[in-house]
Amino acid sequence: MASSSSSDSSAPQTPQLRKDSVTNRWVIFSPARAKRPSDFKSKTPINPNQQQQQCPFCIGHEHECAPEIFRVPPDNPDWKLRVIQNLYPALSRDIPAAEEENNSDSGRVVVNGFGFHDVVIETPVHSVQLSDLSPREIGEVLVAHTRRIKQLMSYDSIKYVQVFKNHGASAGASMSHSHSQIMALPVVPPAVATRLGSMKEYFDQTGKCSVCESNSKDLLIDVSAHFISIVPFAATFPFEMWIIPLDHSSHFYELDSEKAVELGGLLKLVLRKMSLQLNNPPFNFMVQTSPLGENASQLPYSHWFLQIVPQLSVVAGFEMGTGCYINPVFPEDAAKVLREVKVSPSE
């Protein structure tokens, strides 16, 4: 992902195509299609005052939920977070493990829909959002993710585990109570395979990890002892952000509790910056990590990171037809705007 920076952000900018060496995706940067980067705001901000007062995820309503997997603290009615089965899972844990079936005549490949689809209820209180939690509390949420991944690793047929959060209805959230999700899949998704292939290509050409090389001052938002937050060089979406471990690490589940608290602090900071600058937009975050059972030869070039995407644009026909995306904000400009957002300690 390392490359030369764009032209001076104070000068007129012409369209530019950039290729992301992590995702292997081309992105068109077309600043003429947007207002000034600092004027970019969500048109559908989340209004916390319109949220319902009680829901099945609230403390005291546990009986309305699907079965619990674990809670923190354990066996405590005054829990801080709970991990439960999804009441409407996309995959089923109750059918035989996945076995790939190939039909050589039709070329069709079918795999049983075995897998796991879980929910992490991040707080017992309905009105509290992830960015309202302390760094330690956010760290506990992240550790809950890693703990569940380690449990799922005992299933040989599970190849990849995706941790993600949808915040806001337009970002895909059906419940306004703060939660994230974990899906354990019997296949390696194509976007993951493409990402690993692109990382390998970069490594074969340079001998370096493409994610490690993304540490560029003009893309920097903030940094802590072990993590850095940036706008990626070829950001697919306006104001997309990545949080990256500074030490090379292939698997998210290797995150320890101490670093999880530090990561929680940086995640809280960038979420607050995003909310203040972009008018509290709906957003998605995804943990981009390596497949389970990854062989040792992949470790030097596979590097996990947390991707945050505010919902500020629409994926339309061009993007669906080409796999290329149009971003109206140069990453260097987005990073500068976010760097300059001041967040008070109380926020």
Side-chain angles (χ1 to χ4, degrees):
M1 201 162 61
S3 181
S4 60
S5 63
S6 71
S7 57
D8 185 351
S9 59
S10 63
Q13 295 175 316
T14 57
Q16 186 181 88
L17 279 78
R18 296 184 180 185
K19 186 178 182 182
D20 189 343
S21 59
V22 175
T23 65
N24 200 38
R25 178 180 291 149
W26 282 100
V27 181
I28 299 172
F29 291 92
S30 185
R33 295 169 61 89
K35 299 174 289 185
R36 292 179 301 173
S38 58
D39 292 336
F40 232 82
K41 306 289 181 184
S42 171
K43 297 178 182 178
T44 56
I46 297 170
N47 185 350
N49 296 323
Q50 293 179 348
Q51 294 177 346
Q52 63 196 94
Q53 294 182 344
Q54 294 287 313
C55 78
F57 289 176
C58 291
I59 193 165
H61 292 253
E62 294 84 358
H63 62 284
E64 300 176 32
C65 295
E68 180 177 294
I69 299 167
F70 64 84
R71 65 173 62 186
V72 178
D75 304 318
N76 191 325
D78 294 323
W79 51 271
K80 297 176 67 175
L81 67 86
R82 293 203 309 142
V83 180
I84 64 172
Q85 298 180 21
N86 194 312
L87 194 59
Y88 305 103
L91 296 168
S92 175
R93 68 193 74 209
D94 299 321
I95 62 175
E99 292 184 7
E100 188 172 297
E101 299 177 9
N102 287 286
N103 187 322
S104 57
D105 295 330
S106 65
R108 295 172 177 170
V109 179
V110 178
V111 177
N112 285 344
F114 170 79
F116 297 83
H117 190 176
D118 303 329
V119 175
V120 179
I121 304 173
E122 298 164 341
T123 169
V125 181
H126 193 93
S127 60
V128 174
Q129 296 302 319
L130 184 65
S131 60
D132 298 323
L133 300 178
S134 69
R136 182 164 298 279
E137 290 169 330
I138 298 174
E140 290 175 343
V141 172
L142 298 170
V143 168
H145 294 147
T146 63
R147 175 180 170 185
R148 183 57 180 149
I149 293 172
K150 291 173 184 175
Q151 292 175 345
L152 294 167
M153 289 171 64
S154 63
Y155 295 87
D156 292 339
S157 59
I158 296 301
K159 308 301 182 187
Y160 189 78
V161 181
Q162 181 66 63
V163 174
F164 64 99
K165 179 179 178 66
N166 304 328
H167 178 71
S170 62
S174 58
M175 301 282 286
S176 59
H177 193 122
S178 187
H179 69 284
S180 45
Q181 299 183 61
I182 302 171
M183 284 192 67
L185 307 171
V187 298
V188 177
V192 176
T194 299
R195 170 163 51 84
L196 287 173
S198 184
M199 288 174 164
K200 183 179 186 302
E201 181 181 1
Y202 186 92
F203 182 80
D204 289 344
Q205 292 174 352
T206 67
K208 299 177 181 179
C209 164
S210 56
V211 177
C212 289
E213 289 295 290
S214 62
N215 190 343
S216 173
K217 286 185 178 180
D218 55 351
L219 300 171
L220 175 70
I221 301 171
D222 213 306
V223 64
S224 65
H226 296 96
F227 298 92
I228 186 170
S229 59
I230 65 165
V231 177
F233 169 75
T236 303
F237 304 99
F239 289 91
E240 174 183 349
M241 297 173 285
W242 292 4
I243 301 180
I244 302 169
L246 288 170
D247 297 326
H248 184 82
S249 176
S250 296
H251 292 282
F252 170 65
Y253 68 74
E254 296 174 337
L255 179 71
D256 63 40
S257 56
E258 184 177 342
K259 288 183 180 177
V261 174
E262 182 186 327
L263 175 57
L266 190 54
L267 176 57
K268 178 182 176 72
L269 176 68
V270 299
L271 290 178
R272 292 297 300 133
K273 282 177 173 278
M274 179 181 70
S275 177
L276 290 169
Q277 177 60 40
L278 303 176
N279 195 26
N280 194 20
F283 68 86
N284 306 93
F285 86 52
M286 295 73 64
V287 175
Q288 304 290 7
T289 187
S290 300
L292 302 180
E294 180 185 45
N295 63 57
S297 66
Q298 295 173 314
L299 296 177
Y301 59 79
S302 60
H303 191 143
W304 74 267
F305 59 94
L306 199 158
Q307 178 186 20
I308 305 165
V309 178
Q311 292 295 321
L312 300 169
S313 58
V314 176
V315 175
F318 174 77
E319 289 83 0
M320 287 186 261
T322 64
C324 299
Y325 287 72
I326 300 174
N327 188 337
V329 183
F330 271 98
E332 292 83 356
D333 293 339
K336 182 176 185 295
V337 168
L338 290 168
R339 270 198 309 273
E340 294 174 353
V341 176
K342 303 301 180 185
V343 178
S344 68
S346 60
E347 293 175 314

